[in-house]
Amino acid sequence: MTEVLSALADPTRRRILDALAAHGEATATVLAAELPVSRQAIVKHLAVLDRAGLVTGRREGREARYVVRPAGLGATARWMDRVAADWDSRLAAVKRLAEATQNSTGGSPDEPGPGQVRGI
């Protein structure tokens, strides 16, 4: 997953992945024609995406044709969903604690409680 996140951290690689997903299958030449990046740079970016398990290439004559491998994205998305759910749970607990404290002091969110200064 570290390689996936590292690969996706680069905006050019995200654009390449988006373009490749839109095409379904493409060569580095086709991708370079659409993006403001040289074919050689596209090939290097595709190698990073391949190592991360996000794309796969197959030789067809002199060209390599690349396709997106959704499994790599799926595993990362599931991990991110779990992290988001954990944070949602933690934030909900903080909210409940804040509301319970507010209700026990009888204050409102706009009024400072005992020993508090407005605006802090």
Side-chain angles (χ1 to χ4, degrees), residues 7-81:
L8 294 175
D10 185 282
T12 300
R13 284 193 283 272
R14 289 194 306 269
R15 289 181 68 191
I16 291 169
L17 200 59
D18 287 342
L20 193 54
H23 282 281
E25 180 180 84
T27 65
T29 303
V30 168
L31 296 170
E34 292 182 19
L35 301 169
V37 182
S38 70
R39 183 189 177 286
Q40 292 79 8
I42 295 284
V43 169
K44 289 179 182 182
H45 284 297
L46 285 167
V48 172
L49 293 167
D50 189 19
R51 281 193 304 276
L54 297 172
V55 303
T56 189
R58 66 175 173 76
R59 292 303 252 173
E60 189 174 288
R62 292 181 39 181
E63 292 278 344
R65 296 191 160 285
Y66 292 89
V67 295
V68 174
R69 292 182 59 199
L73 289 172
T76 303
R78 286 188 297 279
W79 173 79
M80 292 175 83
D81 284 343

